[in-house]
Each structure stands twice: as C-alpha cells, then as structure tokens.
Amino acid sequence: MPPFGKVLVANRGEIAVRVMKAVKEMGMKAVAVYSEADKYALHVRYADEAYYIGASPALESYLNISHIIDAAEKAHADAVHPGYGFLSENADFAEAVEKAGMTYIGPSAEVMRKIKDKLDGKRYAQLSGVPIAPGSDGPVGTIDEALKIAEKIGYPIMVKAASGGGGVGITKVDTPDQLIDVWERNKRMALQAFGKSDLYIEKAAVNPRHIEFQLIGDKYGSYVVAWERECTIQRRNQKLIEEAPSPAITMEERSRMFEPIMKFGKLIDYFTLGTFETVFSDTSREFYFLELNKRLQVEHPVTEMIFRLDLVKLQIRLAAGEHLPFTQEELNRRAKGSAIEFRINSEDPLNNFTGSSGFITYYREPTGPGVRVDSGVEAGSWVPPFYDSLISKLIVYGEDRQTAVTTAMRALDDYKIGGVKTTIPLYKLIMRDPDFMEGKFSTAYISQKFDSMKEALKKREEMLASLATVVHARGLMRKKGIPSTPQERQGRSSNWKNYGIVLQSSPRVMWG
Amino acid sequence: MKLYRVHSETGDPFVIVHDQKGNKDILKTENAEFEIEYLGQGWREGEYLVKINGEEHRVYVDNGWIVLDNAELFRAERITELPTQEGQSIEEMIRGKEGEVISPLQGRVVQIRVKEGDAVNKGQPLLSVEAMKSETIISAPISGIVEKILVKQGQGVKKGDVLIVIK
C-alpha cells in the first residue's frame, strides 16, 4: 500500500523530477507546480498533474506559500515534498502544509523552529557532544566585543550571519583591521538577505575539508547515520563535486561521530532526513560542527549509491510514520564501493562562474554501467535566468574510488551539452589532476588551482574555435551530419525526381 | 593571411589569424597558436581526420556542431572575416587597439560613470553591465582620455562589443 495517494512536489528542475520518480515508483500520483518561466519545463511534463503558481521570479511562485498551498488543495494532494532550496527549510511553509491537513515530507515546523539559525544548532551540538569550533557563544553585539573574542581565539576567523545559508554571509577575516572593515558591511548584508543582522564569530580552520553526515530518523526515536559525504571541492562556498565515502577518514573516525549525532537528533525529536555539515582538519583529525540541514541534500545520490538505498522513498515512508527498516550495524554492512557526484551547472567557469541562461540546443546524456544522471533538462529546454544554475547531476559509481574516477572521465566525455556553458570542461580537468586522484584537497582546491585550469580551459576553447575556422575555410561544414530519416540514409532527401515514375508505375495507373 | 572573428553559439568571440599552407593551417589566437593539418576523410561517414599540433584527432560534423574525439563540442554561430590593415602586427589584430574597452559578458549597460573628454586613471571604474541580476563593473585598462562612448545607458550589449575608446 502506498503511504499517500497524491504527492505535490513544491520545487522545480532536477530535484522535482527526482522526487517524482520515487513518487511514481511507490504507486502514487505526482503533482508539479510551475512558474511562467517553467511552462514547458521537463518537471511539468513529467508529473501526472501540474498547476500554475505565478510569475517567473521565485518570490511570486516557488517561494509563495499561499499559491503552493492553493495548488495542493486544488489537486487534493495528501502530502507535499519540498525538495531542497526554496521553501525546504521554511517552518512557516511546513506549518501551512500541516494546517491544510496534508503531510509535510520533512521535519515538522515545531522541530524546525527549535534550530532556527546556525547559533541554535551550535548550542544543541554542545549539549549532545558534537564538537564545535571555538568562537562566540551567541550573536556578537558590538565591534569591540568582536575584536576581543577574535583576539582570544586567534586569527584567521570566520564572520558568519546567524541566519544565513547556502554559503551566503560568510567572510574569512585575517586581521583586526579587516574585521573592522567587514563588520558593518556584513551586518547590512545579513539584514538585507535574511532579515536579521546577527553575526557571530568562529575560528577558521586552515585548509579544511567539508564533510557532512547523513542522519536518518523515524518518529519513534530510532536513528541511524548513513555515513558521510565529502563535499570539499567548492568554489565560493558552493559545492561542485561530492563523494561518498570520504577518501580522507577512517572507519574509526567516522563511527566516533555516530553517537553524538544521534544524540543531537534525539534532543530535538528530529525525524526523516537531516544532514550535519562539519569541517574536518587533516592535521588535527577533528570534526567541527557547522550546521544542520533539515532537508534532502542536493548530493544525496552518492549516499544512495554506496548503500543501494532510495533516500527519497525512505523520507516519504518515514514522514508517513513508518519505522526505520534497518539498524546501524545492518547499514554499515550495506556500504560498498565509491560514488562521485558532479553538479552540472549552466555557468561559465571562464567568466567567474556567472550563470549562463539560454536554450539547450544539443543534448546527449551518458548512460552505461556505473552512471546515473539526475537531470532537469533535455534537448530544447530553456534554462531561465531566474533560478539556481544547477541543471543536472552526473553520479558515477565504482567498486572503489579509482574505478569511479575512470567511469567519471568516460561519462563526462559522453555528456554533451550545447547552447549554454557548463562546468563539464572544468570537471574533466579535475578528473585528470593527480591531487584529486590521491584525495589530497581542501576547500581551497578550486581557488588554488583555478589559474592554471582557467588557462587550460581558455586554450581548449581557442583550439575548438580554430578548428571551427579550419572546417569552415575548407568547406567541410556543408556535410549534414548523421541522417535521421530513411530517405536521407539512402542519400536522397527529396523524392521529386522519382515521383512521376513511381506514380506511373503504380498498378492504378497501368491497369486503370 | 586572413583575420576571422568566430562567435561561438554561447556568445564568446574569438579573433583568429589564419594562414593556410597546403594541407596545413596555422592559427594564432589570443593565448595560443595551433597548427592544424587536414589529413582527409576518416573511415566513417561524416568523419574527418586532423592533426592538431602533431596529435591526431577525429572530427565529426553534426548539423553545424563540431564534435572532437567524441568528447568536445563546439558550434560557431557565425564566422566573419575582418579587414586587415597594412603594418598591423598580429598581436594588435587579435587584441584590438590598446584603449578599446570590451564588454566581457552579455548584458545591459546600467550605469556610465564617465563622459567623453574625461581623464581616467588605469583601474578606474567606467561603467557597469548587468547580467542575470548581478552587476559587473568594468574599469579602465589604461590611463588616458575618454575619446568615445559607444553605448547608452540601458542598452543591451554582447560579449566582445566595444563599449568605450580611451586614448
């Protein structure tokens, strides 16, 4: 028996399609919502039903709680899945869904309100024994206070907005002068972006890794930790490549974190999926808690691959009140192999990763053993400029990390997208980098290597443009390419020459 | 010798100096130089074989798309020949004149901070171009006097368009 009859997915693009796949497999009906810009989007056509919820800007559509609830009521949905981003961590939205008599697939509004911002998370972490980085215990009021704390814990420090997210509102500060400089500006920025100007200070780890743990819990207080994901390859605090398991930590270090994280979950009565983001230092071998993400993560497929799980289905079942189907020991035994995920963003790596909007005019997806593509686009899709630039995710799996990397090289070569610029060429370079192969990297990886990679990317583009010039100058462009109809295949694109003969030789003409 | 401007279909302009000698083409771009030798038709339909800087590669032409080694994709939106001037060095041809301020991206001009005739210092902000909700400030590449402003506020610009000429 499916737990619900109809599930509305309050999201767009890749994740909406991914959630709908799980919904369909469980024998339920999937409902999409869409904005003006997404009228012809893949997720809208993939769903069993779709409802228009407003104009293109996210504030009027995907972030508009009342429009989404209206659509859910019109569709008679039983449950709402928020995906990630947009309203996925909005307690008001979860509450509105519950009030409308539907199930919210995710933690309850009450649980979300317990850890409203990053500082609440830090407090609970302290209580449950999850290690945290030294810094201020709460929001820091004045610049004098900030300078004093910074002096005590030592530079470099991180100045963070208490209610920030998605890498926004985080600045690294190396000197007192810089702190004075940054303070007022970040306060203003935090107020503008999140409506609250609270800032706090934390000691910055030097060349850390970004490792996150997947907590899964049911409504009855059982928890498991589905190991970790290494999300160290980032640029400007935005993840690009994620993998599981981390090549840097041992089983002993990993399992040391299980107990405190489960305790954290119990403390706030957390259920369904949650992700504990931590930084990990290669030298001190310590994890420091950053924040708890109360939603499905973008990079959930790497965990799914190594455990052969479907986290979305599990999330739906847990939200419906089912029990956790396995224990930590059973889960540990399931872990096998290595998985890597690449975020295919429509961005131009050569132009400071600015978003590239446009029509996808050429599209070939990789397939084959060990390859999974979670895509929100297809040939002819439009990438609108209003939303996130993530258009697709390529996930590869291998029996070990080495195999996964070789599969990734092949799959990245096979993945051809034309019409918008993507991050694929950059990933091809990273896959051939010995430091990546050996797992030697930190969050500074992209910024450290970017100059040489940029040069290589630039040269590659110029080479292709030169080749195009040669092909053009030699008149080779006129070839039409791979024929798609039987007539073309026989070397005839039109039948006008034979039409008369065919007509006259037909029995009708010959025999009256 | 010919000078080409190649616009890729994602809007990137490339200026290429092209020299043909028999089967070999010498191409100079902003950052590199390529020797591309045309070896002829490949074994398969629609396939060409080329040598790029001595290395053999396969090229497919698929409805205007160029697929290199079944891994790289490129499409030239348009290829135009540019007039060449006597006595101009190759570097000048590729880079354009020294004081030309070129738009690094496609967008809309939101603010012009200088007037014609203004003296500007190297690195001084000249104008800003908005694309996908983020503003990019373009600064002066050299010190000098603003000779000409070729765009108006609110005008849409393409990547590679000349915006301002400084002398």
Side-chain angles (χ1 to χ4, degrees):
Chain A
M1 252 309 268
F4 304 109
K6 228 184 222 184
V7 178
L8 180 129
V9 184
N11 215 303
R12 65 177 297 279
E14 168 273 318
I15 192 61
V17 178
R18 162 71 189 94
V19 173
M20 283 174 202
K21 279 177 183 158
V23 169
K24 285 185 178 185
E25 279 175 35
M26 291 170 83
M28 309 184 283
K29 288 260 179 282
V31 182
V33 290
Y34 63 98
S35 69
E36 185 69 40
D38 278 337
K39 228 191 276 180
Y40 305 108
L42 182 63
H43 79 273
V44 179
R45 273 176 297 137
Y46 192 74
D48 295 309
E49 286 171 34
Y51 293 87
Y52 174 78
I53 49 162
S56 302
L59 267 176
E60 285 160 52
S61 45
Y62 298 107
L63 285 173
N64 192 315
I65 296 176
S66 63
H67 287 186
I68 294 174
I69 299 289
D70 277 354
E73 279 176 342
K74 232 188 283 170
H76 298 286
D78 305 306
V80 173
H81 194 296
Y84 54 69
F86 294 127
L87 293 169
S88 62
E89 288 181 275
N90 188 315
D92 296 338
F93 180 56
E95 195 177 59
V97 170
E98 285 161 19
K99 257 199 194 132
M102 291 170 253
T103 309
Y104 181 77
I105 301 172
S108 64
E110 190 194 341
V111 171
M112 276 200 237
R113 291 222 167 92
K114 281 185 195 163
I115 30 170
K116 246 200 221 132
D117 58 35
K118 292 180 178 181
L119 281 168
D120 294 331
K122 268 186 94 169
R123 214 170 39 246
Y124 280 111
Q126 225 164 359
L127 284 174
S128 53
V130 178
I132 52 169
S136 62
D137 289 327
V140 181
T142 62
I143 178 72
D144 293 330
E145 219 177 299
L147 284 167
K148 219 179 282 169
I149 296 169
E151 204 58 54
K152 207 172 75 194
I153 59 172
Y155 291 91
I157 55 160
M158 296 296 244
V159 176
K160 296 186 179 179
S163 29
V168 184
I170 301 175
T171 318
K172 191 177 168 211
V173 172
D174 297 308
T175 61
D177 288 345
Q178 217 182 329
L179 180 57
I180 296 167
D181 206 43
V182 154
W183 193 254
E184 281 306 314
R185 200 181 61 214
N186 276 27
K187 257 198 140 82
R188 228 181 13 251
M189 257 170 51
L191 188 65
Q192 262 173 24
F194 316 114
K196 257 176 101 182
S197 66
D198 286 353
L199 298 181
Y200 69 102
I201 290 177
E202 224 170 58
K203 185 158 176 61
V206 182
N207 291 345
R209 283 168 181 274
H210 191 126
I211 293 175
E212 58 184 32
F213 289 86
Q214 177 73 60
L215 176 74
I216 310 171
D218 61 17
K219 287 182 173 169
Y220 316 101
S222 321
Y223 295 95
V224 292
V225 177
W227 292 22
E228 78 287 345
R229 291 183 283 261
E230 161 114 39
C231 315
T232 300
I233 308 283
Q234 323 180 328
R235 50 104 203 162
R236 284 192 268 123
N237 295 318
Q238 289 275 344
K239 297 163 190 163
L240 289 175
I241 300 176
E242 299 102 346
E243 56 185 297
S246 162
I249 66 172
T250 62
M251 190 64 209
E252 194 274 321
E253 283 166 333
R254 173 180 301 131
S255 39
R256 207 175 63 207
M257 287 297 283
F258 292 170
E259 267 312 305
I261 286 174
M262 290 183 203
K263 208 170 150 198
F264 191 131
K266 271 199 193 99
L267 215 57
I268 55 170
D269 299 317
Y270 196 84
F271 60 92
T272 80
L273 306 180
T275 300
F276 283 75
E277 296 206 357
T278 67
V279 286
F280 178 75
S281 159
D282 271 350
T283 44
S284 72
R285 313 299 294 173
E286 273 303 333
F287 294 97
Y288 294 114
F289 173 77
L290 284 179
E291 62 178 309
L292 167 61
N293 289 329
K294 305 169 278 284
R295 57 173 150 87
L296 184 71
Q297 293 282 93
V298 179
E299 56 273 21
H300 72 278
V302 289
T303 304
E304 294 186 327
M305 297 305 263
I306 63 163
F307 287 107
R308 295 171 307 288
L309 274 177
D310 189 321
L311 286 178
V312 179
K313 278 191 207 166
L314 190 59
Q315 191 186 19
I316 294 172
R317 291 219 170 89
L318 292 171
E322 287 184 30
H323 285 270
L324 254 184
F326 38 66
T327 62
Q328 185 68 51
E329 288 70 45
E330 282 166 359
L331 195 65
N332 286 352
R333 273 200 300 276
R334 280 181 86 112
K336 213 175 224 169
S338 176
I340 310 176
E341 179 192 270
F342 302 86
R343 295 192 184 192
I344 314 295
N345 295 341
S346 62
E347 288 171 351
D348 185 359
L350 280 175
N351 204 344
N352 206 10
F353 292 94
T354 45
S356 169
S357 158
F359 284 94
I360 295 186
T361 47
Y362 194 101
Y363 191 77
R364 298 269 190 288
E365 242 171 44
T367 54
V371 177
R372 163 175 168 187
V373 179
D374 280 13
S375 173
V377 295
E378 55 189 351
S381 284
W382 183 48
V383 182
F386 306 102
Y387 318 108
D388 196 83
S389 57
L390 180 76
I391 53 171
S392 166
K393 297 184 307 207
L394 168 66
I395 304 106
V396 295
Y397 174 80
E399 56 187 88
D400 52 32
R401 193 165 181 269
Q402 179 62 43
T403 325
V405 171
T406 46
T407 307
M409 285 184 190
R410 191 269 295 173
L412 286 166
D413 275 351
D414 284 358
Y415 209 160
K416 299 187 189 74
I417 301 177
V420 292
K421 291 249 179 168
T422 67
T423 40
I424 294 174
L426 177 69
Y427 297 150
K428 286 187 192 172
L429 286 179
I430 296 175
M431 283 306 107
R432 281 164 182 80
D433 181 33
D435 281 347
F436 180 83
M437 289 277 216
E438 285 162 34
K440 282 196 293 189
F441 43 74
S442 73
T443 43
Y445 179 85
I446 296 276
S447 54
Q448 279 165 0
K449 302 235 168 186
F450 196 61
D451 282 341
S452 67
M453 283 182 176
K454 196 171 171 179
E455 204 174 308
L457 287 175
K458 188 115 213 171
K459 276 215 176 112
R460 170 190 156 273
E461 284 210 330
E462 286 177 5
M463 190 258 276
L464 289 168
S466 303
L467 185 66
T469 314
V470 172
V471 169
H472 171 83
R474 290 188 182 274
L476 306 176
M477 213 64 198
R478 261 168 263 143
K479 265 267 194 279
K480 265 207 76 184
I482 301 142
S484 48
T485 61
Q487 281 98 332
E488 278 180 56
R489 217 165 270 265
Q490 283 154 19
R492 291 184 248 118
S493 51
S494 159
N495 216 18
W496 70 271
K497 270 186 184 169
N498 309 327
Y499 185 73
I501 300 165
V502 169
L503 207 68
Q504 281 184 26
S505 66
S506 84
R508 210 157 33 114
V509 175
M510 285 182 70
W511 312 114
Chain B
M1 193 185 298
K2 278 175 179 168
L3 190 65
Y4 287 102
R5 177 174 280 148
V6 180
H7 275 273
S8 79
E9 52 93 56
T10 43
D12 299 304
F14 300 90
V15 180
I16 296 169
V17 179
H18 179 218
D19 223 351
Q20 202 168 42
K21 286 194 192 96
N23 261 348
K24 281 185 187 163
D25 296 63
I26 314 281
L27 299 112
K28 285 200 186 77
T29 56
E30 199 184 325
N31 301 296
E33 191 177 326
F34 304 99
E35 187 193 88
I36 300 178
E37 188 182 344
Y38 176 59
L39 300 174
Q41 290 252 345
W43 302 106
R44 287 162 284 186
E45 188 68 33
E47 183 188 50
Y48 303 108
L49 298 177
V50 292
K51 247 187 195 176
I52 302 173
N53 289 348
E55 261 179 71
E56 214 176 290
H57 293 278
R58 292 173 288 123
V59 179
Y60 269 98
V61 177
D62 182 4
N63 280 322
W65 291 92
I66 291 171
V67 185
L68 179 67
D69 295 327
N70 212 0
E72 309 278 346
L73 193 66
F74 188 86
R75 185 190 169 104
E77 183 76 40
R78 57 176 194 273
I79 300 179
T80 40
E81 212 183 316
L82 301 176
T84 51
Q85 279 158 22
E86 281 293 318
Q88 214 178 7
S89 75
I90 290 166
E91 278 71 35
E92 261 178 0
M93 286 189 214
I94 293 170
R95 292 249 159 83
K97 288 194 197 82
E98 211 193 356
E100 282 178 358
V101 181
I102 285 165
S103 174
L105 72 173
Q106 187 176 355
R108 203 168 51 85
V109 177
V110 279
Q111 194 190 3
I112 302 174
R113 295 155 196 250
V114 290
K115 295 191 302 289
E116 280 179 19
D118 280 5
V120 291
N121 290 321
K122 190 177 171 182
Q124 183 180 333
L126 298 174
L127 73 169
S128 35
V129 176
E130 183 203 62
M132 287 181 98
K133 283 186 187 161
S134 63
E135 219 176 289
T136 306
I137 294 167
I138 298 162
S139 354
I142 52 163
S143 304
I145 286 164
V146 177
E147 192 183 54
K148 210 165 191 187
I149 297 175
L150 296 143
V151 288
K152 282 199 291 284
Q153 195 161 324
Q155 187 183 334
V157 289
K158 277 214 175 107
K159 204 166 170 177
D161 284 357
V162 178
L163 306 172
I164 286 178
V165 181
I166 298 170
K167 207 176 172 184

